Amino acid sequence: MTKRAPRIFILTGAGVSAESGLGTFRDVGGIWSQYRLEEVATPDAFERNPDLVYGFYNARRANLVAAAPNAAHAALAKLQSGLRAAGGDALIVTQNIDDLHERAGAQDIAHMHGELLKARCLRCGALADWRGAMDAASRYPNCDAAVRPHVVWFGEVPIGLDDIAETLAGCDAFVSIGTSGSVYPAAGFVSMAREMGMPATELNLEPSENAFVFTDQRYGPASSIVPAWVDDVLSTISGPAN
Ligand code: BJW
């Protein structure tokens, strides 16, 4: 009897998009060395100085629109389609607010910290696609309500946590890619996976804060180590269960 292809939970962070030219947060020269997070990534900051917060995200949105997925995003899309064809899956949960997984062809991405190319209505919470600049005078399409970037700031509850927990419980293995493991609740997912008995692999430029929780580690630039790891996984599968 052929073994079923695995269902792999994949958590990605800023490191997977670093080689696409999108900044990471906590690396030397990263976003939090240029901005104080208390001034741009909290609900209080938005209330105190909305122009600064809109400007912070406008610059990042313009950068994102000009960026392209890299070999790591492409490899994860290939992994997902390969596993799905063999009866398994790659369930991608990203902390990133970019759309590079989608542009590389991956599907059903859970954006737990929001999406930069969406605006959220400040009156009802509805979402609209948004690619240009946003400011205090911006209005939700066909409405007179103001908007904010659809991102999860510190102190706000990440999106879709119940679904993410359910997805994790249905997986066979956990993989973390390009995240420092310093922001919760995402940083706690690996411990949850380990408590459920799953093997856990870390793919990162360098050991993360919770590297010791993982059962397997590979270090290097995502554009090299992710395609190599994906090829290893796909070489072990042999089609749907019978
Ligand atoms: C490469 C690479 C290459 C580089 N190849 N790799 C005390 C204890 C525990 C928790 C808390 C606490 N005090 C406060 C909290 C909660 C707080 C928190 O975790 N704070 C910590 C700072 C301690 N968390 C929250 O507030 C969250 N909400 C919450 O907890 O709600 C309460 C609740 C939860 C659950 C149920 C009920 C209630 C919300 C967190 C929101 C995070 N928001 C941000 C910004 C908004 C989006 C945006 O502007 O983009 O999200 S912060 C920022 O960090 C961003 C990221 O998604 C997130 C994670 O960063 P990431 O991706 O790990 O990036 P880096 O830069 O840290 O790491 C990059 C890694 O890549 C590095 O390791 C590099 O080595 C590597 N790398 N180049 C491969 N080429």
Side-chain angles (χ1 to χ4, degrees), residues 102-115:
E102 287 91 338
R103 278 199 256 160
Q107 295 176 356
D108 308 319
I109 309 300
H111 282 273
M112 63 180 292
H113 289 166
E115 294 175 78

Side-chain angles (χ1 to χ4, degrees), residues 14 19 25-26 57 60 95 113 152 155-156 179-180 184 204 222:
E19 291 161 86
F25 294 92
R26 296 166 186 84
Y57 286 102
R60 290 177 61 200
Q95 298 168 85
H113 289 166
V152 178
E156 296 185 315
T179 175
S180 60
Y184 287 82
N204 207 28

Side-chain angles (χ1 to χ4, degrees), residues 12 25 57 60-61 64 93-102 109-120 127-128 148-153 156-161 164:
T12 66
F25 294 92
Y57 286 102
R60 290 177 61 200
R61 195 179 298 108
L64 171 58
V93 175
T94 188
Q95 298 168 85
N96 299 341
I97 60 176
D98 66 57
D99 64 342
L100 298 184
H101 285 304
E102 287 91 338
I109 309 300
H111 282 273
M112 63 180 292
H113 289 166
E115 294 175 78
L116 186 53
L117 299 183
K118 289 192 175 155
R120 192 189 307 164
L127 301 178
R148 59 166 272 186
H150 178 52
V151 300
V152 178
W153 290 319
E156 296 185 315
V157 179
I159 297 161
L161 288 179
I164 291 171

Side-chain angles (χ1 to χ4, degrees), residues 1-65:
M1 189 170 74
T2 311
K3 211 171 127 205
R4 170 176 73 73
R7 289 172 59 84
I8 306 178
F9 185 103
I10 296 176
L11 174 68
T12 66
V16 79
S17 298
E19 291 161 86
S20 294
L22 306 185
T24 59
F25 294 92
R26 296 166 186 84
D27 292 310
V28 174
I31 294 171
W32 295 154
S33 67
Q34 299 161 49
Y35 295 86
R36 292 190 64 229
L37 69 86
E38 297 83 358
E39 291 177 0
V40 292
T42 70
D44 281 355
F46 186 57
E47 208 166 296
R48 272 194 318 269
N49 191 346
D51 290 347
L52 181 66
V53 176
Y54 283 124
F56 172 67
Y57 286 102
N58 285 344
R60 290 177 61 200
R61 195 179 298 108
N63 195 20
L64 171 58
V65 168

Side-chain angles (χ1 to χ4, degrees), residues 17-240:
S17 298
E19 291 161 86
S20 294
L22 306 185
T24 59
F25 294 92
R26 296 166 186 84
D27 292 310
V28 174
I31 294 171
W32 295 154
S33 67
Q34 299 161 49
Y35 295 86
R36 292 190 64 229
L37 69 86
E38 297 83 358
E39 291 177 0
V40 292
T42 70
D44 281 355
F46 186 57
E47 208 166 296
R48 272 194 318 269
N49 191 346
D51 290 347
L52 181 66
V53 176
Y54 283 124
F56 172 67
Y57 286 102
N58 285 344
R60 290 177 61 200
R61 195 179 298 108
N63 195 20
L64 171 58
V65 168
N70 65 53
H73 299 104
L76 291 175
K78 176 176 142 184
L79 176 71
Q80 188 183 60
S81 63
L83 287 174
R84 285 183 175 184
D89 208 347
L91 295 309
I92 302 174
V93 175
T94 188
Q95 298 168 85
N96 299 341
I97 60 176
D98 66 57
D99 64 342
L100 298 184
H101 285 304
E102 287 91 338
R103 278 199 256 160
Q107 295 176 356
D108 308 319
I109 309 300
H111 282 273
M112 63 180 292
H113 289 166
E115 294 175 78
L116 186 53
L117 299 183
K118 289 192 175 155
R120 192 189 307 164
C121 172
L122 278 170
R123 188 181 297 154
C124 74
L127 301 178
D129 292 338
W130 202 282
R131 297 181 73 81
M134 185 187 291
D135 61 26
S138 299
R139 292 294 173 264
Y140 197 80
N142 307 315
C143 174
D144 64 354
V147 291
R148 59 166 272 186
H150 178 52
V151 300
V152 178
W153 290 319
F154 283 103
E156 296 185 315
V157 179
I159 297 161
L161 288 179
D162 288 347
D163 287 345
I164 291 171
E166 196 177 315
T167 297
L168 180 59
C171 285
D172 308 302
F174 178 91
V175 179
S176 165
I177 303 174
T179 175
S180 60
S182 51
V183 174
Y184 287 82
F189 292 168
V190 61
S191 298
M192 291 164 63
R194 292 294 297 128
E195 279 161 22
M196 290 185 253
M198 287 175 223
T201 299
E202 169 161 277
L203 306 177
N204 207 28
L205 194 57
E206 54 192 29
S208 67
E209 290 192 14
N210 48 13
F212 61 93
V213 186
F214 291 83
T215 53
D216 178 36
Q217 296 88 0
R218 295 189 188 190
Y219 297 117
S223 64
S224 306
I225 61 172
V226 176
W229 172 77
V230 165
D231 286 346
D232 287 352
V233 173
L234 291 178
S235 72
T236 67
I237 61 170
S238 51

